Amino acid sequence: MTSPVRGDLFDPECPTRRLLDRIGTKWTSMVVKVLAEAAPHEVRFAELRRRIPGVSQKMLSVTLHSLVRDGLAVRRVEPTVPPRVHYRLTELGLSLEVPLAALRIWAEEHMARIDHANAISDAGSAAGG
Amino acid sequence: MTSPVRGDLFDPECPTRRLLDRIGTKWTSMVVKVLAEAAPHEVRFAELRRRIPGVSQKMLSVTLHSLVRDGLAVRRVEPTVPPRVHYRLTELGLSLEVPLAALRIWAEEHMARIDHANAISDAGSAAGG
DNA sequence: CCGGATCCGGGGCGATACTG
DNA sequence: CAGTATCGCCCCGGATCCGG
């Protein structure tokens, strides 16, 4: 039988790589976070836009549709005029929030050290040059 | 001192976003994994290259220097001819491996469901079109 | 109110060639 | 063996316009 993906992390189809391709897109992690905080309630498109400063309506739309396509979120349209569109995470999307939250914690605790290391590196190359 | 970044996750300088910009680059997560598995031993450049199929020497070099610059790895050169360059993770780099491993586990367990959702979506739009 | 279509710029990433 | 410089492709992501 074919073995599970356990040992194939360096396969071109490496699941980790493909996951990072998704959550690495600029707005995905923020959208997931907002939806996760609101769960199990839905969030309207306009509300998401307000909660994520800087996101354009295009990229928010693209990001949300990617999440839906990946089965991480669901979309519900009220066929009114004007339309109202709501999003919420699926169970799968909520499960992704767990490791994503761990990553956020790490970032909050350690990014300052990365910044510091960069500053040292800059100063060192400036002095050395 | 200014307060920590706890509440500023949607700041333009959002630490999570900046962390994802780093580990989201194509080869970083793989390099970190290989170095983490080898820890506390060093790994030579050529050995890394062999262990990461598909990586070009340029991109491996760029990725490693980024890790060093961020304080996640250290570089040691044996001034021989030809030179031998060794890398290992710092304590900071090793700590990053923890949430990264959680992400890998999630990917291994759930990416198939994402693929399935994509297949459904493709079939649906094909049938609907 | 929502989001698709189009145009455009920037940067990641790969291939290749060259240095020490 | 390790790293750098150059070129080119591709796609993310922003601005704008248009359609339901």
Side-chain angles (χ1 to χ4, degrees):
Chain A
M1 63 164 278
T2 66
S3 61
V5 289
R6 281 278 156 196
D8 297 341
L9 293 187
F10 300 125
D11 190 288
E13 295 303 316
C14 167
T16 303
R17 179 91 289 292
R18 304 198 302 115
L19 175 60
L20 283 169
D21 282 343
R22 290 155 202 271
I23 66 177
T25 60
K26 188 164 183 180
W27 302 105
T28 301
S29 64
M30 296 189 188
V31 171
V32 170
K33 180 179 166 61
V34 170
L35 289 178
E37 285 173 346
H41 302 297
E42 299 176 317
V43 184
R44 285 193 58 183
F45 183 90
E47 176 66 15
L48 281 164
R49 202 178 167 189
R50 226 172 310 126
R51 303 261 280 265
I52 305 177
V55 72
S56 67
Q57 108 230 69
K58 170 194 166 181
M59 289 316 297
L60 180 55
S61 181
V62 168
T63 302
L64 285 165
H65 284 293
S66 294
L67 289 176
V68 170
R69 181 184 167 81
D70 287 339
L72 297 170
V74 290
R75 179 177 186 267
R76 183 175 67 83
V77 184
E78 288 185 54
T80 57
V81 175
R84 290 196 279 184
V85 185
H86 307 257
Y87 294 89
R88 65 173 174 80
L89 290 186
T90 61
E91 197 177 341
L92 189 62
L94 277 169
S95 77
L96 174 59
E97 168 63 7
V98 177
L100 218 43
L103 217 58
R104 280 190 210 102
I105 301 284
W106 192 96
E108 290 168 10
E109 289 178 353
H110 299 295
M111 278 309 289
R113 289 188 61 183
I114 289 189
D115 292 336
H116 184 63
N118 274 275
I120 299 287
S121 183
D122 285 351
S125 56
Chain B
M1 228 2 222
T2 60
S3 63
V5 288
R6 280 280 158 197
D8 298 341
L9 292 186
F10 299 127
D11 190 288
E13 295 303 314
C14 167
T16 302
R17 179 92 287 291
R18 303 198 304 114
L19 175 61
L20 283 169
D21 283 343
R22 289 155 203 271
I23 67 177
T25 60
K26 187 164 183 179
W27 303 103
T28 301
S29 64
M30 295 188 190
V31 172
V32 170
K33 179 179 167 62
V34 170
L35 289 178
E37 285 173 347
H41 301 298
E42 299 175 319
V43 184
R44 286 192 57 183
F45 184 90
E47 176 65 16
L48 281 164
R49 202 178 168 189
R50 227 172 309 127
R51 302 260 279 266
I52 305 177
V55 71
S56 66
Q57 109 229 78
K58 170 194 166 181
M59 288 317 298
L60 181 56
S61 181
V62 168
T63 302
L64 285 165
H65 284 296
S66 294
L67 289 176
V68 171
R69 182 182 166 79
D70 287 340
L72 297 170
V74 290
R75 179 177 185 268
R76 184 175 67 84
V77 184
E78 286 184 54
T80 57
V81 174
R84 289 197 279 184
V85 186
H86 307 256
Y87 294 90
R88 65 171 173 81
L89 290 186
T90 60
E91 197 178 340
L92 188 61
L94 277 170
S95 76
L96 174 58
E97 167 64 7
V98 177
L100 218 43
L103 217 57
R104 280 191 211 100
I105 302 282
W106 193 95
E108 291 167 10
E109 290 178 351
H110 299 296
M111 278 307 290
R113 289 187 61 184
I114 288 189
D115 292 335
H116 184 64
N118 275 275
I120 299 288
S121 183
D122 285 351
S125 55

